[in-house]
Amino acid sequence: MAKYARSPLAPEAFPELPVIKGARFASHAAGVKYQGRTDVMMVALDAGSSIAGVFTKSSTRSAPVLDCQEKIGGATDEGAVILVNAGNSNAFTGKAGVESVQAITTSVSDLMETPISRVFTSSTGVIGEPMKHDRIIAALETLKGKLDENGLEDAAHAIMTTDTYPKGACATFEVDGKTVNIAGIAKGSGMIAPDMATMLVYIFTDAKIDQADLQALVSAFTDSTFNCITVDSDTSTSDTLLMAATGASGATVSHDTKAFRDALHDVMLDLSHQVVRDGEGAQKFVTINVTGARNNAQAKVHAMAVANSPLVKTAIAGEDPNWGRVVMAIGKSGAEADRDLLTIRFGDILVAEKGWVSPDYKEEQGAAVMKEQEITINVDLGLADGSSTVWTCDLTHTYIEINADYRS
Amino acid sequence: MAKYARSPLAPEAFPELPVIKGARFASHAAGVKYQGRTDVMMVALDAGSSIAGVFTKSSTRSAPVLDCQEKIGGATDEGAVILVNAGNSNAFTGKAGVESVQAITTSVSDLMETPISRVFTSSTGVIGEPMKHDRIIAALETLKGKLDENGLEDAAHAIMTTDTYPKGACATFEVDGKTVNIAGIAKGSGMIAPDMATMLVYIFTDAKIDQADLQALVSAFTDSTFNCITVDSDTSTSDTLLMAATGASGATVSHDTKAFRDALHDVMLDLSHQVVRDGEGAQKFVTINVTGARNNAQAKVHAMAVANSPLVKTAIAGEDPNWGRVVMAIGKSGAEADRDLLTIRFGDILVAEKGWVSPDYKEEQGAAVMKEQEITINVDLGLADGSSTVWTCDLTHTYIEINADYRS
């Protein structure tokens, strides 16, 4: 993971995450594939924790994803464990992949005295190689011994693959006079696109919330956060978001509790942006706003067409205000557009309107916007009120380097 | 155009094109944008020529495309002229773009004594910059003077933009004891994806064929040739295929004439492959065969998902037999797939079957296939009889170089 320099778009520092009472974390170097770094993390959750999940829609999703999906929504009266490894995704590993999940979850269940229906696993890394689950099982005792309520930051390191920095986000707020905390970690830097647009995300809160309410919020917010980012239009077979609410704060919330909704959405948006900011080879963080579409769904089709266009992304890498490629991407998206009603702005600069370059536009203005590290492209279709915002990064030589040489 | 070396995938030489009686060609250095090279071509077609066309489906298509689309299918009793420039696409140029088309077509019509309804223009190059149509109009007299039945190869040079080699293909065959010729040229190397998947294609034959029959054939064959190639998933605002049949051979054909159908399909397939072989930065020519899909349309969705996946394309660039990324692309395509029925072959090598790597597969075998310049990826879905073949190239550093710096 130290092969590539920390992304220039990374946050200055990892945030100081609050303790989430009722959750303890451990990480360890199990040597699943990587040497000289941690590569497994364990989360132990107290009895009563609600757990919600959102998963990749890939039709070739991995064995651990299928296992998690079956388990979400069960009874919450017992504890729960999340076990994650980096280096091998246990995806497209056939019957052996299912056996690896069974071996790991059985061992965790026995060791942690937790029902197997409450043991969730994720695996991230290379696809299609046999999983050395013995190495993970051999690390379980050690992981159990290391469990610590302050272990979440270390866990963020343990789940990295091609990430150049660990990703964390948090929020603290009051509900009915009680302090509630949310803390989350994520990993992901390539194979990033809806649905859903990250590889692994784990969020914890000490709020008390019904599982169905938690699931509803997490699912809804995924649509406007992780499903609105794209690095390379490729969707992982392993994408997993798990959220656990321990209830240890004593504050009860529901899907209607505004402070909780706002804080959770902020944490998810922050983590999703951090994934884009670590997009393989990314030098620019790009926001695409589409307004004036026939409806929100069509706006998103346009926005994603711009965000995924290799020609738009390479132009941004070259700091070239090539708005013609934005026009091209809108044109090819398949959603409704009228060339002569299009308005395009780079940041605040009006570039094109009514089917042509704006008479006041000067190329130097667009070029100045393109030199920034954070770029916003605004497209108004002039048709109706549909809108969408998505986030992406530029396409650079380093993306090619990383991905032409990933397995070697 | 000489900035990048000739593609390693280019044919050894430009073919010896047959004369198409009834068609004459000229090219000239008009200085529309490029200096020191030809950049306009003119084709003069004798009275009686049938002309068919297929155009980009982009909703932001260029002024010349819209003009051509209106004119296709008219009477054929008069001559016709095709006028093409490289360097400026006259796309997204608003009212001025329409005026440029009018100015050029009016001048051509006057000079060549051809009805304006039979004057077709195409423009290729940068989007959104005002078209210096005066330079084209100033070259018309010279072009007229240069018209020559042997001028098609030179015309193939004049329409190039980022192409590293001119593209031509031809066929000669007998119909009812008469010799019939087909000769075509194409340009295109980036912004290549259905629909349709090239920038500019011009095909000529001396067969006599009804316009409606010609249109039906050209439209149908575009679906299995130019609409089955992709370089970067981006669709041009200018894509145009024009085909003219002069009838000068005296051989009459219809949409049912097998020799004509076969020859035309071959020429179109050859030209479409040449476009992929000149894909910006391409080092590998890749064929994706999908079989066993629910139907042909779903097979094409899968094949295009593989062909457009940046992770698959960078793996091929890195000569990495990373079949896991093929699984990922099938999984994300949205078309039906069952992970545990998938079979994947690299060339003849069985790599994966029944949801996992084949027990007999050795990585060296896949690696050997990946070292070839021409690579075939075969995916069988095991569901039904749908199939599709598409062609693409790898994604390399040179693609980034070309496209991060196109306008400078």
Side-chain angles (χ1 to χ4, degrees):
Chain A
M1 72 203 204
K3 193 168 173 191
Y4 291 92
R6 183 178 170 90
S7 167
L9 307 174
E12 279 187 33
F14 193 87
E16 187 96 20
L17 299 179
V19 165
I20 306 294
K21 288 283 179 199
R24 290 170 303 141
F25 311 90
S27 42
H28 186 62
V32 177
K33 173 182 152 94
Y34 301 114
Q35 300 302 318
R37 53 157 281 190
T38 58
D39 61 350
V40 285
M41 78 147 186
M42 179 189 275
V43 185
L45 295 155
D46 284 355
S49 296
S50 297
I51 298 178
V54 183
F55 304 93
T56 180
K57 291 181 182 150
S58 168
S59 62
T60 57
R61 48 193 177 274
S62 69
V65 167
L66 290 166
D67 184 65
C68 280
Q69 283 184 297
E70 275 179 22
K71 292 173 174 175
I72 289 292
T76 62
D77 45 338
E78 308 242 24
V81 179
I82 300 171
L83 198 290
V84 183
N85 75 276
N88 185 313
S89 71
N90 193 16
F92 209 70
T93 41
K95 197 157 159 285
V98 176
E99 286 165 4
S100 288
V101 173
Q102 281 170 341
I104 295 168
T105 53
T106 302
S107 298
V108 170
S109 173
D110 291 348
L111 178 72
M112 303 296 291
E113 295 174 13
T114 302
I116 199 163
S117 63
R118 295 274 281 169
V119 177
F120 301 87
T121 67
S122 309
S123 297
T124 177
V126 76
I127 296 174
E129 290 187 3
M131 174 87 159
K132 291 171 177 148
H133 63 253
D134 290 350
R135 298 185 184 179
I136 296 171
I137 290 168
L140 293 177
E141 282 269 1
T142 309
L143 283 164
K144 184 182 180 186
K146 286 184 174 180
L147 285 168
D148 187 304
E149 64 181 14
N150 291 304
L152 187 53
E153 180 171 346
D154 286 345
H157 284 84
I159 62 175
M160 289 165 65
T161 56
T162 55
D163 303 62
T164 71
Y165 61 91
K167 297 161 188 71
C170 56
T172 298
F173 51 96
E174 303 263 309
V175 172
D176 300 334
K178 290 173 179 141
T179 299
V180 175
N181 295 294
I182 300 177
I185 60 173
K187 67 82 46 183
S189 56
M191 211 186 274
I192 300 298
D195 301 281
M196 52 184 272
T198 187
M199 304 199 79
L200 301 178
V201 185
Y202 305 94
I203 306 174
F204 306 93
T205 180
D206 48 16
K208 185 163 186 59
I209 181 170
D210 183 69
Q211 197 277 336
D213 271 26
L214 186 65
Q215 183 66 52
L217 281 180
V218 167
S219 296
F221 292 164
T222 296
D223 275 343
S224 55
T225 58
F226 294 104
N227 282 348
C228 282
I229 65 171
T230 179
V231 168
D232 54 14
S233 81
D234 278 336
T235 306
S236 163
T237 52
S238 306
D239 293 333
T240 295
L241 182 154
L242 289 173
M243 175 150 186
T246 65
S249 68
T252 300
V253 301
S254 77
H255 71 274
D256 272 340
T257 309
K258 185 169 187 313
F260 184 73
R261 291 174 62 95
D262 290 352
L264 178 57
H265 190 271
D266 284 353
V267 167
M268 289 172 69
L269 193 64
D270 187 343
L271 289 173
S272 71
H273 286 189
Q274 287 191 53
V275 171
V276 174
R277 287 173 181 281
D278 206 9
E280 289 169 341
Q283 300 288 317
K284 311 267 189 191
F285 180 77
V286 186
T287 303
I288 317 281
N289 288 317
V290 172
T291 54
R294 188 59 68 197
N295 54 48
N296 291 350
Q298 290 214 356
K300 188 164 174 184
V301 170
H302 282 301
M304 277 292 177
V306 176
N308 279 324
S309 161
L311 287 169
V312 171
K313 292 162 83 82
T314 48
I316 293 169
E319 301 189 338
D320 175 3
N322 193 329
W323 54 273
R325 294 186 182 172
V326 177
V327 174
M328 174 281 299
I330 295 291
K332 75 159 182 171
S333 78
E336 186 180 344
D338 181 331
R339 186 190 64 185
D340 297 337
L341 295 178
L342 274 184
T343 303
I344 298 171
R345 284 183 173 79
F346 287 164
D348 297 330
I349 305 296
L350 177 63
V351 177
E353 57 181 340
K354 296 174 189 158
W356 204 16
V357 64
S358 164
D360 297 328
Y361 173 68
K362 292 186 184 64
E363 175 99 355
E364 309 88 80
Q365 298 175 302
V369 172
M370 287 294 150
K371 289 206 186 307
E372 301 290 323
Q373 202 170 58
E374 319 247 326
I375 294 168
T376 301
I377 298 176
N378 298 295
V379 178
D380 190 89
L381 293 158
L383 296 172
D385 294 325
S387 67
S388 177
T389 300
V390 308
W391 298 274
T392 189
C393 57
D394 53 344
L395 174 57
T396 68
H397 286 292
T398 309
Y399 180 87
I400 309 278
E401 265 166 44
I402 295 172
N403 287 300
D405 199 36
Y406 179 56
R407 297 206 306 176
S408 53
Chain B
M1 75 201 202
K3 193 167 170 189
Y4 291 92
R6 183 179 171 90
S7 167
L9 307 174
E12 279 187 33
F14 194 88
E16 187 97 20
L17 299 179
V19 166
I20 307 295
K21 288 285 180 198
R24 290 170 303 142
F25 310 91
S27 43
H28 186 62
V32 176
K33 173 183 153 92
Y34 301 114
Q35 300 301 319
R37 54 157 280 189
T38 57
D39 61 349
V40 286
M41 79 148 186
M42 179 188 274
V43 184
L45 295 156
D46 286 355
S49 296
S50 297
I51 298 177
V54 183
F55 304 93
T56 179
K57 290 181 184 150
S58 169
S59 62
T60 56
R61 49 194 177 272
S62 68
V65 168
L66 291 166
D67 185 64
C68 280
Q69 283 184 297
E70 278 179 19
K71 291 173 175 174
I72 288 292
T76 63
D77 46 337
E78 307 243 23
V81 178
I82 300 170
L83 197 289
V84 183
N85 75 276
N88 185 313
S89 71
N90 194 17
F92 211 69
T93 41
K95 199 157 157 284
V98 176
E99 287 165 5
S100 287
V101 173
Q102 281 170 343
I104 294 168
T105 53
T106 303
S107 298
V108 169
S109 173
D110 291 349
L111 178 72
M112 303 296 290
E113 296 174 12
T114 303
I116 199 164
S117 64
R118 295 274 281 170
V119 177
F120 301 88
T121 68
S122 309
S123 297
T124 177
V126 75
I127 296 174
E129 288 188 4
M131 174 87 160
K132 290 171 178 146
H133 62 254
D134 290 351
R135 298 183 184 180
I136 296 171
I137 290 169
L140 293 177
E141 281 269 2
T142 309
L143 283 164
K144 183 183 180 186
K146 286 183 173 180
L147 284 168
D148 186 303
E149 64 180 16
N150 290 306
L152 187 53
E153 180 171 347
D154 286 345
H157 284 84
I159 62 175
M160 289 163 66
T161 56
T162 55
D163 302 63
T164 71
Y165 61 90
K167 297 160 187 72
C170 56
T172 298
F173 51 95
E174 304 263 309
V175 173
D176 299 336
K178 290 174 180 139
T179 300
V180 175
N181 296 294
I182 299 176
I185 61 173
K187 68 81 47 182
S189 55
M191 211 185 276
I192 300 297
D195 302 282
M196 48 181 280
T198 188
M199 303 197 81
L200 301 177
V201 185
Y202 305 93
I203 305 174
F204 306 92
T205 181
D206 47 17
K208 185 164 186 57
I209 181 169
D210 183 68
Q211 196 277 336
D213 271 26
L214 186 63
Q215 183 66 52
L217 282 181
V218 167
S219 296
F221 293 164
T222 296
D223 274 343
S224 55
T225 59
F226 294 103
N227 281 349
C228 282
I229 65 172
T230 179
V231 168
D232 55 13
S233 82
D234 278 337
T235 306
S236 163
T237 53
S238 306
D239 293 335
T240 295
L241 182 155
L242 288 173
M243 175 151 185
T246 66
S249 68
T252 299
V253 301
S254 77
H255 71 273
D256 272 340
T257 310
K258 185 169 187 309
F260 184 72
R261 291 174 62 97
D262 290 351
L264 178 57
H265 190 270
D266 284 353
V267 167
M268 289 172 69
L269 192 64
D270 187 343
L271 289 173
S272 71
H273 285 189
Q274 287 191 52
V275 171
V276 173
R277 287 172 182 281
D278 206 8
E280 290 170 340
Q283 300 287 318
K284 309 266 189 191
F285 180 77
V286 186
T287 303
I288 317 280
N289 288 317
V290 172
T291 54
R294 189 58 68 194
N295 54 47
N296 291 350
Q298 290 215 357
K300 189 165 174 184
V301 170
H302 282 303
M304 278 292 177
V306 175
N308 279 323
S309 161
L311 287 169
V312 171
K313 292 161 83 82
T314 48
I316 294 169
E319 301 189 337
D320 175 4
N322 193 329
W323 55 272
R325 294 186 181 172
V326 177
V327 174
M328 174 279 300
I330 294 291
K332 74 160 182 171
S333 79
E336 185 179 344
D338 181 332
R339 187 190 64 186
D340 296 338
L341 296 177
L342 273 184
T343 303
I344 297 171
R345 284 184 172 80
F346 287 163
D348 296 331
I349 305 296
L350 177 63
V351 177
E353 57 181 339
K354 297 176 190 156
W356 204 17
V357 65
S358 164
D360 297 328
Y361 173 67
K362 291 185 185 63
E363 175 99 355
E364 310 87 80
Q365 297 175 304
V369 172
M370 286 295 150
K371 288 206 185 309
E372 301 290 322
Q373 202 170 58
E374 320 246 326
I375 294 168
T376 301
I377 298 176
N378 298 295
V379 177
D380 189 89
L381 293 158
L383 297 172
D385 294 324
S387 66
S388 176
T389 300
V390 307
W391 298 274
T392 190
C393 57
D394 53 345
L395 174 57
T396 68
H397 286 292
T398 309
Y399 180 86
I400 309 281
E401 266 165 44
I402 294 171
N403 287 300
D405 198 35
Y406 179 54
R407 298 206 306 177
S408 52

